[in-house]
Amino acid sequence: MKIIVNAVPHEVTSRIMSVALSELGFTSNAMATALNGRFIPNMARETTALTEGDKLEILAPMQGG
Amino acid sequence: MQLYDTEISSRLMLGTAQYPSPAVLLDAIRESGAEIITVSLRRETADGSGAGFFDLLRQSNCRILPNTAGCHSVQEAVTTAHMAREVFNTDWIKLEVIGHSDTLQPDVFALVEAARILSDDGFKVFPYTTDDLVVGERLIEAGCQVLMPWGAPIGSGQGLRNPGALRAMRAHFSDVPLIVDAGIGRPSDATLAMELGMDAVLLNTAVAKAGNPKEMARAMARAIEAGRAGYNADPMDRRDMAVPSTPILGLAELA
């Protein structure tokens, strides 16, 4: 299944967000997720299903003003 | 100075972007005496680079104020705020909703709407706004207990483009903490902001892009302290004409 992760197409096998994140190598504790523009809390990743073409944003702490 | 329910003693708040190196950033934070630093959220890479930066921030022992920089809509800003609350474990959010890409001027209409949504959801909102009094009133009605008017466009270093409007804000919002956010370029700009009665100054580029960020951080801290002390000391009124400071009484007639 192809999904868009931070604007880049990726192939994932799992349809569960938490599993797909591990599959893609995103294992940091200091990151937040949004699916198709909606915030998905850490606790909800295990129960969030992915579908073909979903847009997943994974954000992390960065310098800011 | 009380920001929401937190007592803060340093009136300088520092951004963490654009420093030559992480070590220089840490030096600048320490020299500035800042207790609050601003940060953002950006796309993570699979190597977990964001976690390393977060560890660096923890070394500063500062309170973190995440921003919604780069958001152009209510939905983007609200979603970013929720993501920041989870990552940084804070309900503080520096709310930016940008209206123009070139001037980075706030979209004050979207700002008020996002501020209301986030305040209702328990966030403590620090809105980056213009110096418009009516917008300030709307933000307070929306739940904000702090206002952050711009001095000049973000990153421009132009100083205070409209000191009169900031003076009017001080008079109008006598009990609301006012923090000048954006536009400060030099220590004298920060001093002027404080002399106008602002409660604090938030700056980033002026320190990060100085030739010596550590030295500039120290200079800004002193400038802000001087400006605050000057405001508290109640400066004299300006006069149109000269008035001799040496007494006329007792002046000899020698002509």
Side-chain angles (χ1 to χ4, degrees):
Chain A
M1 177 180 65
K2 189 173 281 183
I3 61 171
I4 312 297
V5 181
N6 287 350
V8 178
H10 280 271
E11 197 69 35
V12 292
T13 55
S14 177
R15 290 185 176 272
I16 306 297
M17 187 197 273
S18 57
V19 180
L21 283 168
S22 299
E23 207 179 297
L24 292 163
F26 291 97
T27 55
S28 164
N29 289 326
M31 66 178 193
T33 49
L35 188 61
N36 301 321
R38 296 182 66 87
F39 170 55
I40 305 294
N42 191 353
M43 297 291 284
R45 289 178 198 153
E46 288 180 11
T47 54
T48 299
L50 299 175
T51 56
E52 179 83 24
D54 271 351
K55 289 180 180 169
L56 178 59
E57 290 285 341
I58 306 165
L59 304 188
M62 200 60 63
Q63 294 85 347
Chain B
M1 168 176 66
Q2 185 144 343
L3 299 176
Y4 287 91
D5 49 5
T6 303
E7 191 65 31
I8 301 290
S9 54
S10 173
R11 295 177 183 276
L12 194 170
M13 298 159 67
L14 196 62
T16 58
Q18 305 182 80
Y19 292 82
S21 72
V24 173
L25 165 61
L26 276 183
D27 278 347
I29 293 172
R30 289 189 184 117
E31 287 296 326
S32 73
E35 294 167 48
I36 299 171
I37 52 175
T38 57
V39 299
S40 71
L41 284 177
R42 286 293 180 265
R43 284 173 169 161
E44 175 66 308
T45 51
D47 61 4
S49 57
F53 179 63
F54 200 10
D55 289 340
L56 184 80
L57 297 177
R58 287 200 188 95
Q59 292 178 42
S60 72
N61 292 319
C62 288
R63 181 154 188 148
I64 287 175
L65 175 60
N67 68 29
T68 62
C71 292
H72 285 254
S73 69
V74 173
Q75 194 234 325
E76 282 176 309
V78 168
T79 300
T80 302
H82 278 98
M83 297 172 88
R85 181 161 68 177
E86 182 176 84
V87 168
F88 296 109
N89 194 28
T90 177
D91 52 9
W92 283 20
I93 190 74
K94 178 188 159 183
L95 183 60
E96 296 183 33
V97 187
I98 300 302
H100 288 158
S101 297
D102 52 351
T103 63
L104 300 180
Q105 172 160 344
D107 177 342
V108 294
F109 305 98
L111 179 70
V112 170
E113 190 181 340
R116 181 172 294 112
I117 292 168
L118 292 170
S119 296
D120 289 349
D121 200 10
F123 283 88
K124 294 179 172 66
V125 178
F126 293 66
Y128 165 61
T129 183
T130 64
D131 47 31
D132 188 286
L133 294 180
V134 179
V135 172
E137 286 177 345
R138 296 288 184 275
L139 287 166
I140 289 165
E141 286 167 15
C144 298
Q145 295 177 28
V146 175
L147 296 175
M148 300 211 298
W150 62 354
I154 294 171
S156 69
Q158 293 178 14
L160 307 185
R161 290 216 297 202
N162 195 350
L166 295 173
R167 192 178 288 116
M169 284 192 86
R170 179 70 292 163
H172 193 69
F173 300 108
S174 56
D175 297 329
V176 179
L178 298 177
I179 301 168
V180 167
D181 176 13
I184 299 293
R186 292 156 191 269
S188 52
D189 302 330
T191 302
L192 176 57
M194 298 307 292
E195 285 179 357
L196 292 173
M198 298 295 106
D199 292 279
V201 169
L202 198 171
L203 51 87
N204 187 155
T205 312
V207 169
K209 289 298 185 187
N212 185 334
K214 183 177 172 182
E215 190 64 30
M216 186 58 80
R218 186 185 304 139
M220 286 292 185
R222 290 175 177 175
I224 287 166
E225 280 178 24
R228 181 65 183 178
Y231 174 72
N232 286 338
D234 188 14
M236 63 169 282
D237 293 329
R238 283 205 164 91
R239 297 157 168 165
D240 289 334
M241 300 299 288
V243 178
S245 49
T246 303
I248 302 294
L249 188 68
L251 183 67
E253 290 185 28
L254 303 174

